Amino acid sequence: MRRLRVGLCYDLAEKHQPRPGEPPDKAAELDSRETVEGLSQALASLGHEPLPLGDGRELLQFLQAGGRVDLVFNLSEGLTGRSREAQVPALLEMLEVPYTGADPLTLALCLDKAMFKRVLQAEGLPTPVFRTVEGPSAVEALDVPLPAFVKPLAEGSGKGIQADCRVESPEALRRVVRRVGETYGWPVLVEEYLPGAELTVGILGNGAARVLGSMQIEFLPGSGEIYSYRTKQDYLDLVRYHVPPQLPAETVQAAQEIALATYRLTGCRDFGRVDLRLDARGRPSVLEINPLAGLNPVSSDLVILARRRGMEYRDLIGEIVQAALDRHGNNGS
Ligand SMILES: Nc1ncnc2c1ncn2[C@@H]1O[C@H](COP(=O)(O)OP(=O)(O)OP(=O)(O)O)[C@@H](O)[C@H]1O
Ligand SMILES: [Mg+2]
């Protein structure tokens, strides 16, 4: 494979730590130096030249100063607005710089969970029934079947997700909707609570995209049975991962088919991860898709899943790069 100059784009969590009064999980979606260094090492060991560029503004400065790369490996979550994940890809698309992962439309669609769920519903793919609460004045009149699950409309990495997001009483529903809205902004999403087992499905590639594997997240005492921000932080103590899932083979098969259909429908590219839970009747239902799934070399779900399937981090990154090159009609040779 030809040696490529690969620029890395990312938003460093350490630059955006919460100030007093801001939520402790403010920078949860952003990347650590460990991720940038791990990714750089993986790219170098694949024979490429990694070039850490920084965030969207730093990318812009680099390109305006005449800097050139063959490919951008995009990890950038963006900082402002519900289209924030689309910002770096939009810039790269405009300047015709090849990059890994989904395009702006897919990234913006999937970050807004209500928009994403409407698209799934239109195609008959299963996702918990939901409604949005537009603002504080809509909270008092809120009337939904209980238990329900309350979460921010457009966050990831467990941001805003706590054990109390599962609400059983009208009082708790109103209290948690207000907390989530005041902390993470309105509208707030309220969904049917899915009581069954949880699994995540990793997917790689494009036209012939394939399921890398499925991983069940078994909840241990203290997790509150929710893959919350805290559970994700303390994953070594609060969950156990099973690859393959300890679930009936036909359930896993159904989940994988639904996940692949979701990946294709939303136009994901190169890699992604679909989170599902089983409903009261044991049927898989889609919570969300992550077109920009985390790629921390140690702790990210897709990386853990790949490793349990026998694929080392370096090879996972190699597949993502190759999928992006293939899309651009460049086999890297
Ligand atoms: N409707 C629901 N019913 C039951 N549990 C839910 C529901 N929605 C979310 N959860 C729980 O909350 C967790 C986080 O939800 P979700 O995946 O939507 O958030 P996220 O912050 O985008 O996650 P990620 O870290 O994967 O980006 C889920 O993994 C699941 O444990
Ligand atoms: Mg999730």
Side-chain angles (χ1 to χ4, degrees):
M1 187 190 273
R2 184 164 67 89
R3 181 176 167 84
L4 302 173
R5 199 163 197 237
V6 184
L8 279 67
C9 276
Y10 46 83
D11 294 287
L12 275 183
E14 68 188 38
K15 284 195 183 173
H16 302 281
Q17 286 305 303
R19 288 187 283 266
E22 289 184 324
D25 58 6
K26 179 188 168 207
E29 291 176 301
L30 309 185
D31 281 302
S32 64
R33 282 208 185 270
E34 183 190 43
T35 300
V36 177
E37 279 160 20
L39 179 57
S40 296
Q41 277 170 20
L43 289 165
S45 80
L46 290 162
H48 301 307
E49 181 196 346
L51 190 64
L53 296 174
D55 62 17
R57 287 168 193 270
E58 288 163 317
L59 169 71
L60 191 56
Q61 285 164 6
F62 171 80
L63 294 171
Q64 283 190 323
R68 291 290 172 264
V69 288
D70 298 306
L71 178 75
V72 167
F73 202 112
N74 178 40
L75 300 174
S76 175
E77 297 278 345
L79 297 170
T80 45
R82 66 176 178 171
S83 300
R84 59 190 179 274
E85 285 186 6
Q87 290 164 357
V88 159
L91 177 64
L92 293 168
E93 202 168 274
M94 184 176 75
L95 298 175
E96 298 183 65
V97 179
Y99 59 94
T100 57
D103 77 353
L105 175 61
T106 296
L107 288 162
L109 172 71
C110 298
L111 190 57
D112 185 316
K113 288 179 176 152
M115 290 291 189
F116 163 74
K117 287 160 70 70
R118 287 183 191 113
V119 171
L120 256 62
Q121 287 175 334
E123 289 298 312
L125 286 167
T127 186
V129 292
F130 75 101
R131 51 166 301 175
T132 54
V133 188
E134 299 304 314
S137 62
V139 176
E140 261 329 295
L142 194 54
D143 185 18
V144 295
L146 298 170
F149 198 84
V150 180
K151 59 184 173 181
L153 182 75
E155 302 290 354
S157 307
K159 239 176 120 171
I161 310 275
Q162 304 179 9
D164 73 354
C165 289
R166 177 188 190 277
V167 292
E168 292 181 35
S169 68
E171 297 70 37
L173 171 70
R174 293 196 178 96
R175 176 169 43 76
V176 179
V177 167
R178 277 201 193 89
R179 168 174 68 74
V180 170
E182 282 161 13
T183 314
Y184 301 95
W186 304 88
V188 170
L189 193 62
V190 181
E191 281 185 349
E192 163 198 7
Y193 177 75
L194 297 181
E198 176 149 347
L199 69 167
T200 191
V201 179
I203 299 176
L204 291 177
N206 297 306
R210 68 182 174 95
V211 169
L212 168 64
S214 299
M215 180 164 87
Q216 183 183 357
I217 293 111
E218 184 200 347
F219 295 106
L220 301 179
S223 64
E225 307 272 303
I226 301 293
Y227 209 15
S228 61
Y229 173 67
R230 202 182 135 247
T231 307
K232 287 176 198 229
Q233 295 274 297
D234 280 347
Y235 70 101
L236 294 173
D237 293 327
L238 296 180
V239 295
R240 193 171 295 142
Y241 299 123
H242 300 286
V243 181
Q246 295 182 332
L247 296 169
E250 59 272 21
T251 304
V252 176
Q253 180 64 26
Q256 293 186 166
E257 282 167 17
I258 291 165
L260 202 50
T262 302
Y263 184 92
R264 293 199 170 115
L265 174 65
T266 52
C268 284
R269 301 194 307 204
D270 305 341
F271 72 114
R273 224 191 67 230
V274 182
D275 295 339
L276 306 100
R277 244 172 124 127
L278 307 188
D279 67 12
R281 292 167 60 186
R283 298 171 305 190
S285 187
V286 177
L287 297 179
E288 59 145 359
I289 189 165
N290 300 286
L292 198 56
L295 289 174
N296 179 284
V298 177
S299 58
S300 286
D301 288 335
L302 186 65
V303 176
I304 296 171
L305 169 54
R307 203 162 271 140
R308 300 270 182 109
R309 297 278 300 156
M311 184 187 267
E312 283 309 316
Y313 184 67
R314 165 189 186 274
D315 300 322
L316 174 64
I317 299 305
E319 277 223 23
I320 295 171
V321 167
Q322 192 57 52
L325 294 176
D326 290 347
R327 279 194 291 106
H328 289 279
N330 172 355
N331 64 14
S333 58

